Amino acid sequence: MFQSVLVSVIGALLGGLLTFGSVQAAALDVVATSSGMGALARTVGAGRAQVTVLASPDRDLHRLQAKPMMIRALRDADLVVAVGAELEVGWLPVAIASAANPRILPGQPGYFEAAAQVDLLEAGSPADRALGDVHPVGNPHVNMDPVRMASVASALGERMALLDPAGAETYRANARAFAAATEQRMDDWQARLADAPGVVLYHRDALYLLDRFGVPMLGTIEEIPGVPPTAQQIKGLSERLQGRSGVVVYAPYASAQAPERLAKGLGWNARRLALDPPMDADGNGYLDHIDLWVQTLAPPR
Ligand SMILES: [Zn+2]
Protein backbone atom coordinates (compact mmCIF):
# COMPACT_ATOMS: atom_id res chain seq x y z
CA MET A 1 0.00 0.00 0.00
CA PHE A 2 2.65 2.44 1.18
CA GLN A 3 4.83 1.38 -1.73
CA SER A 4 2.16 1.99 -4.33
CA VAL A 5 1.41 5.42 -2.83
CA LEU A 6 5.12 6.21 -2.93
CA VAL A 7 5.35 5.06 -6.53
CA SER A 8 2.42 7.22 -7.58
CA VAL A 9 3.84 10.22 -5.68
CA ILE A 10 7.16 9.79 -7.45
CA GLY A 11 5.33 9.30 -10.72
CA ALA A 12 3.40 12.53 -10.19
CA LEU A 13 6.59 14.38 -9.31
CA LEU A 14 8.35 13.07 -12.37
CA GLY A 15 5.35 13.91 -14.51
CA GLY A 16 5.36 17.40 -13.03
CA LEU A 17 9.06 17.79 -13.71
CA LEU A 18 8.68 16.59 -17.25
CA THR A 19 5.82 19.00 -17.89
CA PHE A 20 7.80 21.76 -16.24
CA GLY A 21 10.81 20.88 -18.37
CA SER A 22 8.92 20.93 -21.65
CA VAL A 23 7.33 24.30 -20.84
CA GLN A 24 10.68 25.81 -19.88
CA ALA A 25 12.76 24.50 -22.75
CA ALA A 26 11.01 25.66 -25.91
CA ALA A 27 12.62 24.38 -29.09
CA LEU A 28 12.95 27.95 -30.41
CA ASP A 29 13.51 31.17 -28.49
CA VAL A 30 11.97 33.83 -30.74
CA VAL A 31 12.16 37.61 -30.29
CA ALA A 32 9.65 39.69 -32.29
CA THR A 33 10.02 43.45 -32.66
CA SER A 34 6.28 44.22 -32.66
CA SER A 35 3.16 42.58 -31.26
CA GLY A 36 1.99 41.92 -34.83
CA MET A 37 5.17 40.01 -35.62
CA GLY A 38 4.86 38.35 -32.20
CA ALA A 39 1.33 37.18 -33.05
CA LEU A 40 2.57 35.63 -36.27
CA ALA A 41 5.56 33.97 -34.57
CA ARG A 42 3.27 32.57 -31.84
CA THR A 43 0.92 31.13 -34.44
CA VAL A 44 3.57 29.59 -36.68
CA GLY A 45 5.66 28.42 -33.73
CA ALA A 46 2.71 27.13 -31.69
CA GLY A 47 3.71 24.17 -29.52
CA ARG A 48 7.46 24.69 -29.95
CA ALA A 49 8.43 28.37 -29.86
CA GLN A 50 8.61 30.78 -26.97
CA VAL A 51 8.02 34.37 -28.15
CA THR A 52 9.15 37.65 -26.58
CA VAL A 53 7.85 40.95 -28.02
CA LEU A 54 10.10 44.01 -27.77
CA ALA A 55 7.68 46.88 -28.45
CA SER A 56 4.07 47.30 -27.30
CA PRO A 57 1.50 48.60 -29.80
CA ASP A 58 1.46 52.06 -28.21
CA ARG A 59 5.12 52.60 -29.17
CA ASP A 60 6.31 54.03 -32.49
CA LEU A 61 8.58 51.44 -34.14
CA HIS A 62 10.17 54.21 -36.25
CA ARG A 63 11.43 56.01 -33.18
CA LEU A 64 12.31 53.49 -30.47
CA GLN A 65 15.67 53.35 -28.74
CA ALA A 66 17.61 50.20 -27.89
CA LYS A 67 16.96 49.29 -24.24
CA PRO A 68 18.77 46.88 -21.87
CA MET A 69 15.61 44.74 -21.73
CA MET A 70 15.76 44.28 -25.50
CA ILE A 71 19.45 43.40 -25.46
CA ARG A 72 18.86 40.80 -22.73
CA ALA A 73 16.05 39.21 -24.75
CA LEU A 74 18.21 39.12 -27.90
CA ARG A 75 21.21 37.59 -26.15
CA ASP A 76 19.71 34.07 -26.03
CA ALA A 77 17.40 34.30 -29.05
CA ASP A 78 17.46 31.68 -31.81
CA LEU A 79 15.43 33.88 -34.15
CA VAL A 80 14.57 37.57 -34.51
CA VAL A 81 11.36 38.38 -36.37
CA ALA A 82 11.29 42.01 -37.56
CA VAL A 83 8.96 43.95 -39.86
CA GLY A 84 12.00 45.15 -41.83
CA ALA A 85 12.41 47.57 -44.77
CA GLU A 86 14.28 49.83 -42.35
CA LEU A 87 11.27 50.34 -40.05
CA GLU A 88 13.38 49.34 -37.02
CA VAL A 89 16.67 50.76 -38.38
CA GLY A 90 17.04 53.30 -35.56
CA TRP A 91 17.27 50.74 -32.77
CA LEU A 92 17.25 47.06 -33.79
CA PRO A 93 20.76 46.91 -35.38
CA VAL A 94 22.20 48.61 -32.27
CA ALA A 95 20.35 46.22 -29.96
CA ILE A 96 21.46 43.17 -31.98
CA ALA A 97 25.09 44.35 -32.03
CA SER A 98 24.99 44.91 -28.27
CA ALA A 99 23.52 41.46 -27.66
CA ALA A 100 26.66 39.82 -29.15
CA ASN A 101 24.68 36.84 -30.46
CA PRO A 102 26.11 35.85 -33.88
CA ARG A 103 23.11 33.62 -34.71
CA ILE A 104 20.75 36.58 -35.10
CA LEU A 105 22.95 38.91 -37.16
CA PRO A 106 21.37 40.11 -40.44
CA GLY A 107 22.16 37.55 -43.15
CA GLN A 108 22.09 34.65 -40.67
CA PRO A 109 19.17 32.18 -40.54
CA GLY A 110 18.29 33.62 -37.13
CA TYR A 111 17.37 37.00 -38.63
CA PHE A 112 14.01 37.27 -40.42
CA GLU A 113 12.28 40.31 -41.94
CA ALA A 114 8.62 40.17 -43.00
CA ALA A 115 9.07 42.93 -45.60
CA ALA A 116 11.76 40.90 -47.38
CA GLN A 117 9.25 38.08 -48.06
CA VAL A 118 6.66 40.07 -50.03
CA ASP A 119 6.45 42.84 -52.63
CA LEU A 120 6.45 46.34 -51.17
CA LEU A 121 4.24 49.31 -51.96
CA GLU A 122 5.94 52.64 -52.70
CA ALA A 123 9.25 50.90 -53.41
CA GLY A 124 11.43 52.99 -55.68
CA SER A 125 9.37 56.12 -55.07
CA PRO A 126 11.32 59.30 -54.47
CA ALA A 127 12.33 59.39 -50.83
CA ASP A 128 14.95 61.38 -49.06
CA ARG A 129 15.95 60.55 -45.52
CA ALA A 130 17.67 63.94 -45.38
CA LEU A 131 14.21 65.51 -45.59
CA GLY A 132 13.08 63.25 -42.76
CA ASP A 133 11.40 60.53 -44.82
CA VAL A 134 11.27 57.37 -42.72
CA HIS A 135 10.33 55.07 -45.67
CA PRO A 136 13.44 55.31 -47.87
CA VAL A 137 13.22 51.78 -49.35
CA GLY A 138 9.45 51.47 -49.72
CA ASN A 139 6.53 51.32 -47.32
CA PRO A 140 7.51 48.88 -44.54
CA HIS A 141 4.08 48.39 -42.92
CA VAL A 142 3.31 45.03 -44.57
CA ASN A 143 1.77 43.73 -41.34
CA MET A 144 -1.40 45.68 -42.18
CA ASP A 145 -2.16 43.34 -45.10
CA PRO A 146 -3.49 39.99 -43.88
CA VAL A 147 -2.87 38.36 -47.28
CA ARG A 148 0.79 39.37 -47.28
CA MET A 149 0.97 38.19 -43.65
CA ALA A 150 -0.23 34.73 -44.72
CA SER A 151 2.71 34.62 -47.18
CA VAL A 152 5.04 35.85 -44.46
CA ALA A 153 3.73 33.06 -42.18
CA SER A 154 4.63 30.48 -44.80
CA ALA A 155 8.17 31.89 -45.15
CA LEU A 156 8.50 32.08 -41.37
CA GLY A 157 7.43 28.43 -41.11
CA GLU A 158 10.24 27.44 -43.50
CA ARG A 159 12.72 29.50 -41.49
CA MET A 160 11.65 27.89 -38.22
CA ALA A 161 11.88 24.47 -39.90
CA LEU A 162 15.46 25.28 -40.92
CA LEU A 163 16.40 26.24 -37.36
CA ASP A 164 14.47 23.39 -35.69
CA PRO A 165 14.10 20.52 -38.21
CA ALA A 166 12.32 18.29 -35.69
CA GLY A 167 9.41 20.76 -35.73
CA ALA A 168 9.29 21.27 -39.50
CA GLU A 169 5.90 19.63 -40.01
CA THR A 170 4.40 21.50 -37.05
CA TYR A 171 5.56 24.89 -38.35
CA ARG A 172 4.32 24.21 -41.88
CA ALA A 173 0.93 22.99 -40.63
CA ASN A 174 0.60 26.03 -38.35
CA ALA A 175 1.38 28.41 -41.23
CA ARG A 176 -1.20 26.66 -43.45
CA ALA A 177 -3.80 26.93 -40.69
CA PHE A 178 -3.15 30.67 -40.39
CA ALA A 179 -3.50 31.13 -44.16
CA ALA A 180 -6.81 29.21 -44.05
CA ALA A 181 -8.09 31.31 -41.11
CA THR A 182 -7.20 34.48 -43.04
CA GLU A 183 -8.86 33.25 -46.20
CA GLN A 184 -12.01 32.45 -44.23
CA ARG A 185 -12.42 36.10 -43.21
CA MET A 186 -11.65 37.72 -46.56
CA ASP A 187 -15.13 37.63 -48.11
CA ASP A 188 -16.69 39.25 -45.06
CA TRP A 189 -14.03 41.97 -44.97
CA GLN A 190 -14.37 42.62 -48.70
CA ALA A 191 -18.16 42.94 -48.37
CA ARG A 192 -17.97 45.29 -45.39
CA LEU A 193 -15.39 47.55 -47.08
CA ALA A 194 -16.96 47.59 -50.55
CA ASP A 195 -18.53 51.03 -50.01
CA ALA A 196 -16.02 52.45 -47.55
CA PRO A 197 -15.95 56.24 -48.08
CA GLY A 198 -12.21 56.55 -47.49
CA VAL A 199 -9.75 57.54 -44.84
CA VAL A 200 -7.22 60.17 -43.91
CA LEU A 201 -4.27 58.52 -42.14
CA TYR A 202 -1.80 60.39 -39.98
CA HIS A 203 1.08 58.35 -41.42
CA ARG A 204 1.10 56.03 -44.45
CA ASP A 205 0.98 53.03 -42.14
CA ALA A 206 -2.33 51.38 -43.04
CA LEU A 207 -1.68 51.73 -46.76
CA TYR A 208 -1.42 47.97 -47.32
CA LEU A 209 -4.85 47.37 -45.80
CA LEU A 210 -6.44 50.12 -47.92
CA ASP A 211 -4.73 48.81 -51.03
CA ARG A 212 -5.86 45.22 -50.37
CA PHE A 213 -9.53 46.18 -50.03
CA GLY A 214 -9.68 49.15 -52.40
CA VAL A 215 -10.50 51.67 -49.66
CA PRO A 216 -9.79 55.22 -50.92
CA MET A 217 -6.87 56.97 -49.25
CA LEU A 218 -8.03 60.57 -49.12
CA GLY A 219 -4.87 62.05 -47.68
CA THR A 220 -2.36 61.99 -44.84
CA ILE A 221 -1.90 64.39 -41.94
CA GLU A 222 1.88 64.30 -42.49
CA GLU A 223 2.94 65.02 -46.05
CA ILE A 224 6.35 63.35 -45.82
CA PRO A 225 6.43 60.13 -43.73
CA GLY A 226 7.90 60.99 -40.33
CA VAL A 227 7.73 64.78 -40.75
CA PRO A 228 5.09 66.65 -38.68
CA PRO A 229 2.55 68.65 -40.72
CA THR A 230 2.37 72.43 -40.88
CA ALA A 231 -0.85 74.32 -40.15
CA GLN A 232 -0.88 75.31 -43.83
CA GLN A 233 -0.88 71.67 -44.94
CA ILE A 234 -3.79 70.80 -42.64
CA LYS A 235 -5.72 73.80 -43.94
CA GLY A 236 -5.11 72.70 -47.54
CA LEU A 237 -6.21 69.15 -46.74
CA SER A 238 -9.35 70.43 -45.04
CA GLU A 239 -10.28 72.62 -48.00
CA ARG A 240 -9.71 69.80 -50.46
CA LEU A 241 -11.92 67.36 -48.50
CA GLN A 242 -14.89 69.64 -47.77
CA GLY A 243 -18.16 67.95 -48.71
CA ARG A 244 -16.68 64.44 -48.72
CA SER A 245 -17.24 61.78 -46.10
CA GLY A 246 -14.59 59.67 -44.45
CA VAL A 247 -12.77 58.95 -41.22
CA VAL A 248 -9.46 60.12 -39.78
CA VAL A 249 -7.29 57.43 -38.18
CA TYR A 250 -4.16 58.06 -36.15
CA ALA A 251 -1.82 55.89 -34.08
CA PRO A 252 -1.64 55.99 -30.25
CA TYR A 253 1.75 57.75 -30.37
CA ALA A 254 0.72 60.40 -32.93
CA SER A 255 -0.35 63.85 -31.80
CA ALA A 256 -4.16 63.97 -31.61
CA GLN A 257 -4.39 67.71 -32.27
CA ALA A 258 -4.27 67.89 -36.08
CA PRO A 259 -6.37 64.72 -36.68
CA GLU A 260 -9.07 65.84 -34.24
CA ARG A 261 -9.16 69.37 -35.66
CA LEU A 262 -9.36 68.12 -39.24
CA ALA A 263 -12.15 65.65 -38.41
CA LYS A 264 -14.12 68.28 -36.53
CA GLY A 265 -13.89 70.73 -39.42
CA LEU A 266 -15.13 68.08 -41.86
CA GLY A 267 -17.81 66.63 -39.58
CA TRP A 268 -16.06 63.25 -39.57
CA ASN A 269 -15.02 60.87 -36.81
CA ALA A 270 -11.39 60.70 -35.72
CA ARG A 271 -10.20 57.34 -34.37
CA ARG A 272 -7.07 56.54 -32.41
CA LEU A 273 -6.21 53.00 -33.42
CA ALA A 274 -3.04 50.97 -32.98
CA LEU A 275 -1.40 49.31 -35.97
CA ASP A 276 -0.57 46.20 -34.00
CA PRO A 277 -2.70 43.85 -31.89
CA PRO A 278 -2.40 43.50 -28.07
CA MET A 279 0.94 42.24 -26.71
CA ASP A 280 -0.22 38.68 -26.06
CA ALA A 281 -2.12 38.22 -29.35
CA ASP A 282 -1.74 35.07 -31.44
CA GLY A 283 -2.80 34.64 -35.06
CA ASN A 284 -6.49 34.96 -34.19
CA GLY A 285 -5.73 38.04 -32.12
CA TYR A 286 -4.01 39.53 -35.16
CA LEU A 287 -7.02 38.77 -37.38
CA ASP A 288 -9.36 40.22 -34.73
CA HIS A 289 -7.28 43.39 -34.78
CA ILE A 290 -7.59 43.63 -38.57
CA ASP A 291 -11.34 43.19 -38.02
CA LEU A 292 -11.27 46.23 -35.73
CA TRP A 293 -9.68 48.22 -38.56
CA VAL A 294 -12.35 46.95 -40.99
CA GLN A 295 -15.03 48.07 -38.55
CA THR A 296 -13.40 51.52 -38.31
CA LEU A 297 -13.12 51.99 -42.09
CA ALA A 298 -16.49 50.49 -43.05
CA PRO A 299 -19.32 52.89 -43.89
CA PRO A 300 -21.64 53.65 -40.93
CA ARG A 301 -24.75 51.45 -40.94
ZN1 LIG B 1 6.12 54.26 -41.43
Side-chain angles (χ1 to χ4, degrees):
M1 173 66 184
F2 174 73
Q3 233 174 5
S4 72
V5 168
L6 192 65
V7 165
S8 58
V9 165
I10 289 171
L13 278 174
L14 277 176
L17 284 175
L18 286 173
T19 308
F20 181 72
S22 67
V23 167
Q24 287 298 303
L28 279 183
D29 183 340
V30 181
V31 173
T33 56
S34 69
S35 55
M37 288 300 118
L40 204 67
R42 258 180 214 121
T43 291
V44 177
R48 300 187 69 86
Q50 173 190 306
V51 178
T52 305
V53 173
L54 296 183
S56 57
D58 60 344
R59 305 301 306 277
D60 183 354
L61 289 177
H62 304 87
R63 302 197 184 284
L64 281 188
Q65 289 192 333
K67 294 269 162 53
M69 172 284 272
M70 298 175 179
I71 295 159
R72 273 196 300 278
L74 291 165
R75 196 154 283 157
D76 300 319
D78 301 306
L79 175 63
V80 172
V81 179
V83 180
E86 301 200 359
L87 177 60
E88 300 103 333
V89 74
W91 55 280
L92 187 60
V94 176
I96 287 176
S98 303
N101 173 357
R103 289 170 302 171
I104 56 166
L105 290 173
Q108 296 300 311
Y111 182 84
F112 179 93
E113 288 190 351
Q117 318 301 324
V118 292
D119 60 307
L120 298 186
L121 298 176
E122 302 180 316
S125 64
D128 190 344
R129 196 174 267 284
L131 295 176
D133 194 322
V134 292
H135 295 167
V137 297
N139 192 309
H141 303 284
V142 295
N143 52 295
M144 290 304 291
D145 176 11
V147 175
R148 278 182 177 81
M149 281 288 265
S151 301
V152 172
S154 172
L156 183 58
E158 292 307 316
R159 186 63 66 87
M160 287 180 173
L162 181 69
L163 293 168
D164 171 28
E169 282 321 303
T170 302
Y171 300 131
R172 288 180 183 129
N174 288 345
R176 281 195 299 272
F178 176 73
T182 304
E183 183 59 36
Q184 216 169 25
R185 300 211 194 191
M186 286 298 288
D187 286 350
D188 170 55
W189 287 338
Q190 242 138 21
R192 284 158 66 195
L193 291 176
D195 301 318
V199 59
V200 170
L201 299 173
Y202 192 104
H203 174 76
R204 301 176 75 80
D205 47 20
L207 192 67
Y208 285 90
L209 184 69
L210 308 186
D211 183 72
R212 174 63 58 195
F213 294 103
V215 175
M217 162 97 132
L218 303 176
T220 51
I221 299 282
E222 41 170 51
E223 217 157 72
I224 298 172
V227 181
T230 63
Q232 196 58 35
Q233 283 166 5
I234 299 300
K235 189 163 171 277
L237 191 59
S238 179
E239 283 165 5
R240 188 162 61 74
L241 294 173
Q242 284 298 332
R244 293 199 64 147
S245 57
V247 61
V248 183
V249 183
Y250 60 102
Y253 42 79
S255 164
Q257 199 187 2
E260 295 288 348
R261 185 153 27 98
L262 178 71
K264 199 173 171 208
L266 293 168
W268 297 5
N269 287 323
R271 292 281 162 75
R272 179 178 283 249
L273 187 54
L275 282 187
D276 283 292
M279 280 296 266
D280 59 350
D282 58 7
N284 280 324
Y286 165 79
L287 295 173
D288 287 346
H289 189 70
I290 293 293
D291 198 84
L292 196 57
W293 269 87
V294 170
Q295 193 183 313
T296 301
L297 300 176
R301 309 217 173 267

